[in-house]
Amino acid sequence: PHFIIQVPGKNDTICFNIDEKPGTVLSLIQDPVTGIAVTGQIIGEKGNNASSRTGKTYFGKLGIANAWMDFRIEVTTEKIILGNGDALSTFSWLDTVTVTQTGLSVTINRKKNMVVSFEDGISFVIVLHQVWKKHPVHQDFLGFYVVDSHRMSAQTHGLLGQFFQPFDFKVFDVRPGSDPMKPDATMVVKSHRLTVTRGSQKDYRKDASVGTKVVCWFVHNNGEGFIDGVHTDYIVPSLF
Amino acid sequence: LPEGVVDGIEIYSTKISCKVTSRFAHNVVTTRAVNRADKAKEVSFDVELPKTAFITNFTLTIDGVTYPGSVKEKEVAQKQYEKAVSQGKTAGLVKASGRKLEKFTVSVNVAAGSKVIFELTYEELLKRNKGKYEMYLKVQPKQLVRHFEIDAHIFEPQGISMLDADASFITNDLLGSALTKSFSGKKGHVSFKPSLDQQRSCPTCTDSLLNGDFTIVYDVNRESPGNVQIVNGYFVHFFAPQGLPVVPKNIAFVIDVSGSMSGRKIQQTREALLKILDDMKEEDYLNFILFSTGVTTWKDHLVKATPANLEEARAFVKNIRDRSMTNINDGLLRGIEMLNKAREDHLVPERSTSILVMLTDGDANTGESRPEKIQENVRNAIRGKFPLYNLGFGNNLNYNFLESLALENHGFARRIYEDSDASLQLQGFYEEVANPLLTNVELEYPENAILDLTRNSYPHFYDGSEIVVAGRLVDRNVDNFKADVKGHGALNDLTFTEEVDMKEMDAALKEQGYIFGDYIERLWAYLTIEQLLEKRKNARGDEKENITAEALELSLKYHFVTPLTSMVVTKPEDNEDQTAIADKPGEEAISASTAYLTSQQSSHSPYYYVDGD
């Protein structure tokens, strides 16, 4: 999956990929204060056809939980399961429905996206990316966006959560890269000196099919040096 | 005699043709017979149709001349009928037949060598119960029929998820091969076409094996909780969400233990309650209120359905005994008070729903026994806060009172037939209401964009059922249509939205038009009349007159034989006139046949009636 970090207080964006085997679950957000935790499970391409593999991975399943509310949401490309304690409510991506309960509202917009809004102003947007059902290689996947991330606590961690608080970085020595359209540069962040490449990703919150181009500095090697520790530190055994 | 000829009459063809589009069933039963005798013979035509169906047409064709039916206001037709009766000329009608059916019977004298064709058409909206729609056909030809066929075509825009058909009389592979059923995508088909030999009760017999129930069950795909269809300016909205947790219930069982319940009834009640206790969920609350001359309760207040409480409840139920008289008023008021108090004292969860279920087998005969006063007391005590369901056990009761009482308190009444399966009937009712998924369900449509909406507010949505709302668009040329459904779930409040793109709808219509294009308009009319007739039961004065006028107008416009209309068929016949009346029997007529059959010499033109009571 691609990660896009719009750095708070800076008019710039950093991005990186995490390449792991399909089935791996990554911790994206972990906030011990609000109790909110978000995880994502990686999917690859359809089947095991080695000749068709491009190595691209995506999120196929997301888990959002609030330990204090005993609430969890499991989102797949097929369905959305809301769990309150032992009670489960199952919805489909074909629904247009708003579910409200104390401290939370969940809105599913048929075949497009869903918005999970917590009372304290934190919102998550999950976008359904649909591909042609009979496509030999690709399959549906999910996009995950955080709105008003600053409302999460300073103790928030995770592959995304660690970047919710302002942090500093510098980019200099912009120079031609291996691709003439994508210059390299040197970035200093978290006391690391990294070689980054100018690239672009897409923000699909407004339009799940076309998206909006976001120019970013791409950090290589699974975000090494940019993320705290190494990416395998964020592998967790299960969605919840 | 040729095969299939009995007493000179050959029924050479009987076809039951069913076309179902979006749950709305249009059934045509056609029988063709010929008199092979050398003198005039009487030919009978019997059809058993669901009580929930409305007859829309009956035609009689003799020697190629068709005599179509015409629907008239009941009073107008009744005058004709009375005149006919005074002349001794009646010959056919509908009467209640068993639990689910009404029997339509007509006989006609057919000259030697003449052919007669009977064709009865009826329509009904199939209701979803326990996750499926059921179409019920009674098959009982009086003799072997050369061409016997049931041919059902189902078209469901949401796609068919399952389809099955079964006949109680199919006992061997030979007859089984006469039944075919298939479905794919939006279309389903069931065909039952036994040959003459397959119809025989034994290889050398001349009597028919075909005698029993033929049922078709199916359900539709539910990729989304709702589905809106719009045709010719009319819309229908089907709503049946699934995958939601069950809302906990607070249920008070108010049980009649008067002397009349003694013996089998009380035994079956105990059996049913024990089964119901097995199905209780731990989140539920319950209590038993027993009434005879006085009122006794299991507990002073509702208790949680914990394993220990349920065990105690079982012991209590096993010891229920019958005694003395019937004090419905006090029994119900005690149950209502208990449910109200549980809510006021926060004894039950805030997100729970209260249900009052009464089982009785007779009229109130002690305490407050005036039905109107009991209704008033109950109405004032419940104040619309929860539904009352009335189960009427056996025949010795005022069912209309129980129905009226339930309807005005947002519930419904159900008959429990005094039979070996009474405990199953009771249990079956409980299963219907045991799983509320939503409460206070409101279906909302764009203001100023719709007219003539059917009921759009329901206290509960039960798992396995379906809410159907229909109406008319003010502007047929709108580009899109939006419907919102709001309800309270077990854990949260939900708002479902359905949006319809009219261009997409038009494209879909081209595909489904082959069944019958005006089905949504007829579905809307059926549903409107059905709801008006129900509302009429509790209306008084001007309100009742207005409801009656509205229902009558629609019945006449859409050619439905309802309790307000009659159908008349006139048939000129040499030297003999016949008049038939077919009543749509109400619940009160269950045990009493209202059939008349006479004929006499007359020079007047005869006519047949099909009417509702």
Side-chain angles (χ1 to χ4, degrees), chain A residues 110, chain B residues 228-230 478-482 498-509:
Chain A
R110 182 184 160 87
Chain B
V228 176
Q229 294 167 36
I230 303 170
V478 290
D479 294 332
N480 54 53
F481 182 81
K482 185 168 162 280
E498 283 297 319
E499 275 190 88
V500 180
D501 183 311
M502 298 300 271
K503 280 180 189 161
E504 283 178 22
M505 182 65 66
D506 285 347
L509 278 180

Side-chain angles (χ1 to χ4, degrees), chain B residues 133-192:
Chain B
Y133 307 97
E134 182 180 282
M135 190 154 68
Y136 185 76
L137 303 164
K138 187 86 170 175
V139 175
Q140 200 174 11
K142 288 186 179 130
Q143 60 193 76
L144 302 177
V145 179
R146 190 170 296 281
H147 302 287
F148 182 90
E149 186 178 7
I150 294 172
D151 186 40
H153 289 269
I154 299 167
F155 182 88
E156 288 291 347
Q158 286 160 279
I160 295 170
S161 62
M162 61 80 73
L163 171 72
D164 199 6
D166 196 18
S168 61
F169 45 82
I170 294 184
T171 53
N172 57 46
D173 294 342
L174 190 66
L175 200 52
S177 66
L179 176 67
T180 60
K181 46 202 174 188
S182 62
F183 70 96
S184 175
K186 298 174 182 178
K187 293 174 189 173
H189 182 228
V190 174
S191 169
F192 177 60

